[in-house]
Amino acid sequence: MRMITGKTTEAIKARSNGRPVSFFGLFDIPFLWTNDDLEAAKEIYKPLMPKGEDSMDLSMVQGGALVFSGEEQLYRHRDTSVAVHATLEKVLAALGVEAVAAA
């Protein structure tokens, strides 16, 4: 699934002051639109990039998994890289449930 689609462009065009992005006033860039809200957001945007030696690794972390029983944490998994997710077997084991293979 793409994050930006044709529907994104249509939504921006439909907003107040929707207009094509201009390349230094020479020509409009096809399929790229902006409006006053987006331009204002660009002025105040501050990237929240982690600092330090492993900052690139930290910036690619996608999430993780937590299993709780009430307030007690039974299982914690932190994704160390893109697509390195908790296994279903470990999550179910933390709940005391045995995974059953599909027939």
Side-chain angles (χ1 to χ4, degrees):
M1 181 171 120
R2 294 179 55 201
M3 292 183 66
I4 299 176
T5 66
K7 290 182 181 180
T8 307
T9 301
E10 293 304 316
I12 293 170
K13 283 170 43 176
R15 291 188 182 125
S16 177
N17 299 313
R19 61 191 175 277
V21 172
S22 175
F23 184 76
F24 298 106
L26 299 173
F27 59 89
D28 293 341
I29 301 172
F31 310 110
L32 192 56
W33 288 73
T34 190
N35 65 24
D36 292 341
D37 293 336
L38 290 174
E39 295 300 318
K42 286 191 328 189
E43 297 299 319
I44 62 172
Y45 171 73
K46 293 180 184 155
L48 300 174
M49 184 71 169
K51 307 262 189 262
E53 189 176 309
D54 61 348
S55 62
M56 200 59 180
D57 293 334
L58 292 173
S59 67
M60 296 299 290
V61 172
Q62 299 296 304
L66 298 170
V67 176
F68 285 90
S69 176
E71 293 185 13
E72 179 187 2
Q73 181 179 315
L74 302 176
Y75 178 76
R76 175 181 177 260
H77 172 85
R78 177 178 167 256
D79 295 348
T80 56
S81 185
V82 175
V84 181
H85 308 296
T87 65
L88 183 57
E89 290 78 16
K90 288 183 179 180
V91 172
L92 292 175
L95 292 168
V97 177
E98 185 178 337
V100 178

